Amino acid sequence: MSTINNPEVLSEHDVRVEKIGKLRDRGVEPWPALKPVSAPCQKVLEEYQEDHKLSYSIAGRLMNIRLHGKAAFAHVQDGTAKIQIYLKADTIGVDKFEIFKDLIDIGDILWCSGDSFKTRTGEITLNVTEFVLLSKCLHPLPEKFHGLSDIEIKYRQRYLDLMTSQESRERFIKRSSIIRFIREFLEAHGYLEVETPMLHPIAGGAAARPFVTHHNALNTDLYLRIAPELYLKRLLVGGLERVYELNRNFRNEGISTKHNPEFTMLEFYTAYQDYLFSMDFTEQLIKTVFTKICGTLSLTFSGYELNFSQPFARLTLVEAVKKYANLSDQDLQITAIDATLARHNLTSASDLYGQKLLVLFDELVEKQLIQPTFIIGYPVEVSPLAKRDTQDRNVAARFELFIAGMEISNGYNELNDPIDQAERFAGQMEAHAAGDEEAHKYDEDFVRALEYGLPPTSGVGIGIDRLVMLATGTSSIKEVILFPTLKPKDDGK
């Protein structure tokens, strides 16, 4: 039996679909042409005057309806605010009111015209003299998100989340403000925004597994970019001395509360400066953003009280491992580090000492770095694009910034010695041949660019999604990416 002929088994969707025909029978088009709007809802609320009637036409989504005989109160929400509307049969006409009562549903988008007034309870309201259905909603709106199944809906159908959650809307508005302010900050300091390729013939710029695609006309494989670094440094060779790019990177890695395969990264490069300058500048940028956007330098995140008002701590990687993993100099000696790893049930995919040291840091230390902390003194062998530190040739002139147990930023003095770079690329190729899928490939054109002369340069990358997580007190990266990458549903829907 067809459900359309049996009202007892009609779904809410079916009921609303039936209303399409009923609306058209009464001369109402469910998706008509646009009607002009004179003001957003927020403006109606702000301009209300007790002793002066003001007329408006607004448009927005119907969020609730309360019928009272031949009158009705409802709320309409647009991108700025939610406002109450009042409809009365005597004012809009009996036929029109019957249409509203019987054929208009929560979720429909309406155009309304009328005068603002204040109810006895003190709520600013639009007394509707005319309304038009602009877009029929064929599904009931969710009430609240709670539980695993609703979290799934929240991420897979973000439009429902934005439609029903003021908190979520404000979070993404704040994200946009953060990105806009970062651009203003960098441009005020003389940085030029540029765009570099998303499709790379050689995967490079960071240690990560790439996504691979194929260009049919050229019959060649291309890679979604891991990072824009090698292209940005080519621009400095060409004479653009302060550049930045704020855009997407793609890494074929796992998904977690801190990782999404597609993410937003800021990278900026400064000629004739070093990583010490970049640490100070990065700290200034983050503090200024939080002051501007959050109005405070004290933020709550995942139960931690983060204090950005003090100078960020600075430790070498070895100092951090000794302090937070409670290890001694003896534990970290070349002859003892394998036993130290084994005591903590850790293994290294590489026989290089620096890689083993990094495993200890990643597994035992990183999650303990809660307050803003710069880690410096990274081994050269885990920093293939960074210059060596002039004070210690075994470590790179490099920093990473950690906050709340997350890496937020990475920066270093850019390697501009083409001979050294070629040797490091060769070493990375050997690592790749030995099974390291994240190792860099040899980029001959980049080495050629360095042979023309890259000025002494410091580069920095900042993870925008994680920065937004901190600014919004959000512990999952999925909450700050409008459309996060998700596992396909089993039912294929």
Side-chain angles (χ1 to χ4, degrees):
M1 180 185 298
S2 172
T3 60
I4 203 71
N5 296 318
N6 186 352
E8 293 181 1
V9 294
L10 285 181
S11 67
E12 176 70 18
H13 176 266
D14 291 335
V15 170
R16 293 189 180 209
V17 169
E18 280 198 338
K19 289 181 179 180
I20 296 172
K22 294 177 180 179
L23 284 163
R24 286 176 171 152
D25 288 344
R26 302 184 67 167
V28 178
E29 170 54 44
W31 296 280
L34 175 70
K35 282 186 69 70
V37 172
S38 68
C41 293
Q42 184 63 41
K43 185 176 181 181
V44 179
L45 297 173
E46 291 174 350
E47 292 184 347
Y48 173 75
Q49 297 178 29
E50 194 79 40
D51 56 353
H52 184 61
K53 278 189 176 183
L54 295 174
S55 297
Y56 300 94
S57 58
I58 63 169
R61 190 177 298 276
L62 196 61
M63 301 306 293
N64 57 57
I65 301 172
R66 302 180 308 283
L67 294 169
H68 301 278
K70 294 185 177 182
F73 284 97
H75 280 92
V76 168
Q77 175 180 287
D78 68 3
T80 65
K82 184 190 293 183
I83 190 170
Q84 182 167 261
I85 61 173
Y86 176 63
L87 303 97
K88 193 175 179 183
D90 291 348
T91 304
I92 64 174
V94 174
D95 289 345
K96 201 71 180 260
F97 186 80
E98 289 299 315
I99 290 173
F100 180 85
K101 180 169 68 73
D102 297 334
L103 301 177
I104 298 300
D105 296 296
I106 292 172
D108 290 353
I109 297 176
L110 302 182
W111 176 93
C112 301
S113 180
D115 301 328
S116 61
F117 75 102
K118 188 176 286 186
T119 64
R120 284 180 294 179
T121 59
E123 184 169 0
I124 298 171
T125 303
L126 194 71
N127 184 20
V128 175
T129 56
E130 182 184 0
F131 83 88
V132 173
L133 174 63
L134 291 181
S135 185
K136 186 68 182 167
C137 176
L138 300 181
H139 295 275
L141 301 189
E143 294 180 3
K144 292 182 179 179
F145 291 115
H146 52 83
L148 179 61
S149 62
D150 291 323
I151 288 293
E152 284 282 300
I153 293 173
K154 185 174 188 177
Y155 298 146
R156 293 185 188 278
Q157 297 174 265
R158 181 66 81 183
Y159 47 88
L160 293 179
D161 177 36
L162 297 172
M163 194 185 299
T164 57
S165 171
Q166 178 67 21
E167 179 184 3
S168 185
R169 289 195 301 276
E170 290 176 353
R171 184 182 304 122
F172 286 106
I173 291 170
K174 182 174 284 189
R175 177 189 173 107
S176 180
S177 297
I178 289 169
I179 291 173
R180 182 176 65 252
F181 184 74
I182 287 173
R183 282 192 165 100
E184 292 174 358
F185 184 90
L186 289 168
E187 287 165 12
H189 286 83
Y191 290 84
L192 175 71
E193 183 171 13
V194 296
E195 295 175 304
T196 62
M198 291 287 188
L199 292 174
H200 290 186
I202 299 173
R209 293 179 62 183
F211 287 97
V212 186
T213 187
H214 187 78
H215 191 288
N216 292 330
L218 297 178
N219 191 28
T220 185
D221 285 343
L222 294 171
Y223 304 89
L224 289 180
R225 79 172 181 195
I226 297 171
E229 176 169 341
L230 302 186
Y231 282 94
L232 290 171
K233 287 193 281 194
R234 286 171 167 94
L235 299 181
L236 276 87
V237 171
L240 301 180
E241 295 179 350
R242 289 195 172 200
V243 297
Y244 77 94
E245 185 166 10
L246 210 166
N247 217 320
R248 297 300 181 90
N249 290 349
F250 306 86
R251 298 183 184 177
N252 201 345
E253 58 188 17
I255 298 173
S256 72
T257 56
K258 298 179 183 178
H259 297 88
N260 193 70
E262 176 183 4
F263 61 98
T264 303
M265 177 72 76
L266 163 69
E267 290 203 14
F268 61 92
Y269 290 80
T270 316
Y272 309 110
Q273 292 290 356
D274 64 9
Y275 81 106
L276 299 175
F277 162 85
S278 291
M279 277 198 288
D280 292 339
F281 190 82
T282 299
E283 181 172 342
Q284 181 189 2
L285 169 61
I286 290 174
K287 287 182 174 182
T288 307
V289 166
F290 287 162
T291 300
K292 178 81 172 181
I293 302 302
C294 304
T296 179
L297 289 175
S298 297
L299 303 177
T300 301
F301 179 84
S302 292
Y304 300 115
E305 294 297 325
L306 303 178
N307 180 7
F308 292 89
S309 63
Q310 300 299 315
F312 292 0
R314 300 186 181 189
L315 294 170
T316 68
L317 188 139
V318 169
E319 289 171 343
V321 169
K322 289 163 62 177
K323 176 179 178 179
Y324 289 98
N326 195 29
L327 297 176
S328 65
D329 288 327
Q330 175 65 35
D331 294 324
L332 300 180
Q333 287 184 0
I334 294 177
T335 55
I337 196 166
D338 286 339
T340 302
L341 285 165
R343 274 202 317 275
H344 291 88
N345 298 314
L346 299 174
T347 58
S348 172
S350 169
D351 288 332
L352 296 173
Y353 173 78
Q355 186 63 52
K356 295 174 182 179
L357 191 61
L358 187 63
V359 169
L360 289 172
F361 175 82
D362 288 344
E363 298 299 327
L364 304 180
V365 177
E366 181 174 328
K367 58 182 175 291
Q368 298 188 63
L369 300 176
I370 305 304
Q371 297 302 326
T373 304
F374 285 113
I375 299 297
I376 58 177
Y378 279 83
V380 168
E381 51 263 47
V382 298
S383 310
L385 298 172
K387 291 189 79 166
R388 297 174 187 270
D389 191 292
T390 55
Q391 304 301 314
D392 184 349
R393 298 281 294 172
N394 293 316
V395 301
R398 173 187 176 190
F399 73 85
E400 286 192 332
L401 173 62
F402 294 87
I403 305 172
M406 298 188 296
E407 179 198 340
I408 300 298
S409 178
N410 182 25
Y412 41 81
N413 291 356
E414 303 297 335
L415 181 61
N416 60 348
D417 178 344
I419 298 171
D420 191 352
Q421 181 66 81
E423 291 173 352
R424 295 200 208 181
F425 274 152
Q428 289 284 300
M429 289 292 288
E430 291 176 5
H432 191 274
D436 185 355
E437 295 185 17
E438 295 187 353
H440 288 258
K441 294 186 178 180
Y442 196 102
D443 191 331
E444 183 177 352
D445 180 72
F446 179 68
V447 173
R448 183 187 302 112
L450 293 184
E451 290 176 345
Y452 280 93
L454 171 68
T457 296
S458 177
V460 177
I462 297 177
I464 296 300
D465 305 306
R466 293 183 180 182
L467 194 66
V468 175
M469 288 170 65
L470 294 171
T472 58
T474 306
S475 58
S476 173
I477 198 170
K478 292 183 177 71
E479 296 282 358
V480 299
I481 296 175
L482 280 168
F483 300 102
T485 304
L486 301 170
K487 181 179 180 181
K489 294 182 70 173
D490 291 338
D491 60 9
K493 294 180 180 179

